[in-house]
Amino acid sequence: MLTATLAFAGVAALINVTPGLDTLLVVRTSLAHGRTGGRAAALGILTGCVAWGLATAVGLTALLTASRPAYDTLRIGGALYLTWLGASALWRSRQRNAHHTQADTGGGAATDVAPPGSPEGPAVPSPRERAAAFRAGLGTNLLNPKAGIFYMSLIPQFIPHGTPVFSTTLLLTAIDVIELSIWYRVVSGAASVLGERARRPSFRRRMERVSGIAFLGFAANLLLADHA
């Protein structure tokens, strides 16, 4: 049992640190709303992972491979949600660009550094913004059928014959969630180091554009993905 657990921890760690949608969301939220916002998004993702782990333990994730309608419904819903996230990011980028252009033509000296307390400055996320970040993390995870298939296909490979499936699945899920929480803490902290640079409106606009395009790319990939 110990050997299987350590093997799973190693494989899961390699998968968890591979850049993907969840890491992008944590980075983007950390840059926009600071470390607190990034950790709220990470908490939402981790909550989704716990839900997928519980579903795997009771066998619900098998529906994703056994039922094409169930898989497609979740896949299309996830793609639409990611499209909304991407379009929202691009729209905010456009609004910031328009605001900055007006400032440049308004007669004042144009600067690329936002003053403290301005909308472009470092923001302390409000409870509403933290809740929105949590929902974004939870939504991107739960509406991604690949997350469920990941748990369903990986975890059973590391359950030794004769051990209780339910409790072992929960144990391996807990290991994965702990590793992810450490990884997201590192990612959020690293992103917060860019806080000074993130005060620049041009940098914020570029980040919104990049994240928006990336979200749309993930949406297209999910929408076009074949049934696993």
Side-chain angles (χ1 to χ4, degrees):
M1 179 63 185
L2 178 60
T3 301
T5 302
L6 293 176
F8 172 81
V11 172
L14 291 176
I15 295 174
N16 289 335
V17 300
T18 302
L21 171 61
D22 291 343
T23 300
L24 170 66
L25 182 65
V26 173
V27 170
R28 176 192 172 277
T29 309
S30 298
L31 289 173
H33 300 294
R35 187 175 304 182
T36 303
R39 290 180 178 175
L43 181 60
I45 295 169
L46 296 175
T47 302
C49 291
V50 171
W52 281 120
L54 288 172
T56 300
V58 298
L60 290 179
T61 51
L63 292 174
L64 292 178
T65 55
S67 173
R68 180 67 186 239
Y71 179 87
D72 284 344
T73 298
L74 196 61
R75 176 175 60 86
I76 294 173
L80 292 176
Y81 184 68
L82 290 175
T83 299
W84 179 79
L85 287 178
S88 298
L90 292 176
W91 176 251
R92 284 191 296 270
S93 170
R94 182 181 178 86
Q95 285 184 315
R96 286 196 174 102
N97 187 56
H99 175 77
H100 192 58
T101 300
Q102 290 176 358
D104 288 347
T105 58
T111 64
D112 197 33
V113 178
S118 71
E120 300 287 357
V124 176
S126 65
R128 183 176 181 179
E129 289 172 329
R130 290 196 297 271
F134 175 85
R135 289 195 301 270
L138 182 63
T140 56
N141 190 271
L142 287 183
L143 291 176
N144 184 0
K146 293 182 179 181
I149 292 176
F150 162 79
Y151 276 95
M152 185 194 70
S153 61
L154 183 65
I155 288 181
Q157 299 182 45
F158 294 90
I159 298 179
H161 179 71
T163 59
V165 174
F166 183 81
S167 59
T168 305
T169 298
L170 294 184
L171 172 63
L172 298 182
T173 298
I175 292 173
D176 184 56
V177 169
I178 291 172
E179 289 183 347
L180 279 172
S181 64
I182 295 173
W183 170 243
Y184 291 147
R185 186 178 183 88
V186 172
V187 169
S188 180
S192 67
V193 172
L194 297 177
E196 289 297 322
R197 187 179 179 188
R199 297 182 187 184
R200 300 173 57 185
S202 61
F203 178 80
R204 295 286 294 278
R205 290 194 301 272
R206 285 194 295 269
M207 283 303 303
E208 291 287 2
R209 292 193 195 104
V210 170
S211 61
I213 293 172
F215 281 134
L216 292 177
F218 280 115
N221 179 67
L222 190 58
L223 189 62
L224 297 175
D226 195 8
H227 190 198

